[in-house]
Amino acid sequence: MKARQDGQATIERLWKPLFAAIDKSRLRRAKTGFKQGEIVQLRFSSGEWLGSVALASGYRRIEQFHLPALGDWRPYASHMAKWLARRPDWYAELLSGVWGGEWLDWLEHAGLPVVPNEQTVHLWRQKAHCTCEDGDPFCRHVLAGFLFIVEEMQVSPINSFRFFGLHVQDFQDSVHQAMHKLWQEQFPDGKIRDGDSVHSSAEILDNVPWENLKSDTPLDFLKTSRRFRLLFENAEPVYLNKK
């Protein structure tokens, strides 16, 4: 799976198995309505996506819908946090709005879906339900929910983890705790020796502006910094056991 190259288009492109299965005119109307300001609320609950939509025009009746969530990452949150602690470059990419290719590959091989496949689309057709009168399971409201998820994944990858059952702030706390623990294990005296230089591991870690990274923030400081490469340059992917 490739990393994001052209910003806004990539996540929608990865969701092609879904959008290709929807009538083009129906999808076009849904996109138009979504851009015009349809109010969408969506949350993860017990393995399902529960949503509500108020259309942007006409009678603003609120319709409710539900369908199986794409995935449930809750049982694997601890493992994910530990691996992101080993790969701060992946974590920095997520915080700066990038779905890195290696991270996507890791999720795929770990059996943690982030994009739908043909089987997912078939399941959604069977299980999606909305309170509206449209007989198609992919009604305008359900499609608005899909578009809402895709937009959130594009704008803020880390925040979109909530669609997979994770409490984002708690998960980030777990990543930071795992990162501190790993540094303490790697450098028990609190010092990192790089040639003739000696650095404080705590100072380096604490001074990384994780929360202030923006989409245009260069990530080279993580990928090329000798001090960080000491931590992850020899790491090999460790995948979860698939169910």
Side-chain angles (χ1 to χ4, degrees):
M1 203 175 290
K2 295 183 179 179
R4 192 179 75 181
Q5 300 293 334
D6 53 358
Q8 299 303 309
T10 297
I11 291 298
E12 184 171 350
R13 185 168 63 246
L14 292 176
W15 277 55
K16 185 177 179 179
L18 169 65
F19 296 124
I22 299 170
D23 177 76
K24 292 182 179 180
S25 60
R26 177 180 287 267
L27 181 60
R28 184 169 55 252
R29 289 193 299 270
K31 287 183 175 181
T32 299
F34 184 72
K35 291 179 180 179
Q36 290 176 345
E38 290 177 349
I39 301 172
V40 182
Q41 295 183 339
L42 189 143
R43 62 187 177 89
F44 177 99
S45 178
S46 301
E48 284 196 321
W49 284 334
L50 308 180
S52 62
V53 176
L55 300 183
S57 60
Y59 178 56
R60 297 183 68 86
R61 173 180 173 179
I62 299 176
E63 302 291 356
Q64 311 285 336
F65 66 86
H66 65 86
L67 70 161
L70 181 55
D72 185 352
W73 294 357
R74 292 175 298 175
Y76 311 107
S78 176
H79 192 103
M80 292 170 64
K82 290 176 181 178
W83 192 252
L84 284 176
R86 293 186 64 188
R87 292 298 305 260
D89 55 330
W90 291 0
Y91 187 51
E93 286 179 334
L94 288 168
L95 291 175
S96 63
V98 175
W99 288 91
E102 289 184 333
W103 172 242
L104 286 172
D105 286 341
W106 187 89
L107 290 172
E108 182 179 15
H109 286 286
L112 302 178
V114 70
V115 296
N117 55 31
E118 292 181 359
Q119 289 74 26
T120 309
V121 175
H122 179 69
L123 177 65
W124 282 342
R125 279 200 179 277
Q126 291 182 317
K127 300 293 186 179
H129 177 76
C130 183
T131 56
C132 73
E133 297 179 354
D134 191 335
D136 192 314
F138 290 156
C139 66
R140 182 173 179 175
H141 311 94
V142 170
L143 293 183
F146 288 139
L147 294 171
F148 179 75
I149 292 170
V150 167
E151 181 179 76
E152 181 76 6
M153 291 177 70
Q154 290 176 166
V155 173
S156 180
I158 197 74
N159 284 332
S160 70
F161 285 13
R162 63 192 175 94
F163 298 135
F164 301 90
L166 300 187
H167 185 283
V168 175
Q169 186 59 59
D170 289 348
F171 178 73
Q172 289 187 265
D173 288 344
S174 296
V175 174
H176 299 161
Q177 292 167 8
M179 201 172 287
H180 277 282
K181 182 179 180 181
L182 183 58
W183 277 77
Q184 291 171 356
E185 292 173 351
Q186 294 277 331
F187 314 105
D189 62 355
K191 302 295 182 182
I192 299 176
R193 291 162 180 81
D194 179 13
D196 296 330
S197 302
V198 178
H199 309 281
S200 165
S201 60
E203 180 181 358
I204 294 170
L205 188 62
D206 291 340
N207 286 339
V208 175
W210 302 113
E211 302 301 331
N212 295 321
L213 292 174
K214 305 298 183 184
S215 59
D216 59 348
T217 299
L219 300 178
D220 290 345
F221 79 96
L222 278 177
K223 296 182 177 179
T224 62
S225 169
R226 173 63 182 169
R227 286 171 282 178
F228 276 96
R229 289 188 64 81
L230 284 170
L231 183 62
F232 64 79
E233 65 181 352
N234 295 318
E236 294 293 335
V238 176
Y239 301 119
L240 307 178
N241 291 325
K242 294 185 179 180
K243 294 183 178 179

